[in-house]
Amino acid sequence: VAAAIARNTDNSVLVIDLDTRFGDVAIMLDIEPRFTVAQLAATATTLERETFKAALVKHDSGVHVLPSPKHPNEWRNVEAADIKELVRFAARMFDYVILDTPGAFNDIVGTALEAATQVLVVTSVDMASIKDTSFVLDLLESESFPKERLMLVVNHANGANTIRAADIARVLRHEVFWEIPHDSEVTYATQIGKPVVIAKPKSRAAVNLN
């Protein structure tokens, strides 16, 4: 998504990897981090624009990236308030700030949800994923999270077509905003460390995301 925005618009795009367990943005884009979220969050209240931008890695796609730490233990000293300040700071510098979160709730994910203007809830067509998504949506509803900020995305990652988006929408009681078609080229792009919109721009997934 970030690469598609950078490729098709003049907008500046930053991805912050907030996956506190298995942050994979750096390896998926084949980049070597200069600094990590944990390091910059520790100085969030005193950051300067030039220092912040110099700490980021700019991918060939035009996307700037702030990777997660290589080791999960490095998240231990990161406070949710620091992440909140870091995201606010980044939003003043970039047109789009995309926060990549894990599939589990914690204080940092809660902060990301609070800061986001739009939240993409990604599910797939297997029953386990639909069950987990139902739990997520119910939890957010119980916390009075604004439903209009939630955008349900169905990723047909495994090629299964027995469950339709309409069925998922009915089960989850939430309209499907977008469907990403199954495409083996996504796997190829991942293996070479390039977004599919760059590696295979004519593939089904790339055309869909563009």
Side-chain angles (χ1 to χ4, degrees):
V1 171
I5 294 172
R7 178 185 176 88
N8 297 315
T9 74
D10 294 326
N11 293 306
S12 57
V13 187
L14 168 66
V15 176
I16 301 180
D17 191 347
L18 293 181
D19 191 332
T20 54
R21 299 181 303 168
F22 309 109
D24 292 328
V25 172
I27 195 169
M28 293 279 282
L29 296 178
D30 192 26
I31 59 175
E32 185 62 34
R34 294 194 185 102
F35 294 90
T36 69
V37 176
Q39 290 170 302
L40 291 193
T43 62
T45 57
T46 58
L47 269 176
E48 296 181 355
R49 293 173 68 93
E50 292 305 315
T51 303
F52 181 73
K53 202 154 188 178
L56 307 176
V57 180
K58 188 173 183 180
H59 186 260
D60 292 342
S61 63
V63 175
H64 287 80
V65 181
L66 180 57
S68 67
K70 291 184 177 180
H71 301 289
N73 287 345
E74 294 178 46
W75 284 102
R76 287 181 176 176
N77 297 323
V78 178
E79 300 290 338
D82 297 331
I83 295 297
K84 185 175 183 178
E85 185 64 32
L86 185 67
V87 171
R88 283 180 173 175
F89 184 89
R92 294 194 292 268
M93 292 183 59
F94 288 86
D95 297 315
Y96 288 88
V97 178
I98 297 177
L99 308 176
D100 188 35
T101 60
F105 281 97
N106 54 38
D107 289 345
I108 289 175
V109 173
T111 296
L113 290 170
E114 183 181 325
T117 55
Q118 294 180 327
V119 176
L120 299 182
V121 180
V122 182
T123 190
S124 59
V125 292
D126 63 274
M127 295 308 298
S129 181
I130 294 171
K131 176 187 69 67
D132 292 346
T133 304
S134 177
F135 169 78
V136 168
L137 294 175
D138 287 346
L139 179 60
L140 292 174
E141 182 178 357
S142 71
E143 295 292 329
S144 299
F145 191 87
K147 192 172 183 178
E148 63 273 14
R149 286 164 57 190
L150 295 174
M151 308 176 83
L152 184 61
V153 178
V154 179
N155 181 20
H156 294 267
N158 59 9
N161 56 10
T162 55
I163 302 177
R164 299 175 302 162
D167 300 324
I168 295 175
R170 186 177 65 256
V171 170
L172 297 180
R173 305 186 306 281
H174 199 290
E175 179 184 355
V176 173
F177 167 71
W178 201 258
E179 290 183 76
I180 302 172
H182 170 65
D183 192 341
S184 59
E185 297 290 13
V186 173
T187 302
Y188 168 77
T190 300
Q191 290 174 340
I192 63 173
K194 290 184 178 181
V196 69
V197 296
I198 304 295
K200 293 289 183 177
K202 295 183 179 180
S203 65
R204 292 181 66 204
V207 170
N208 174 271
L209 291 168
N210 277 321

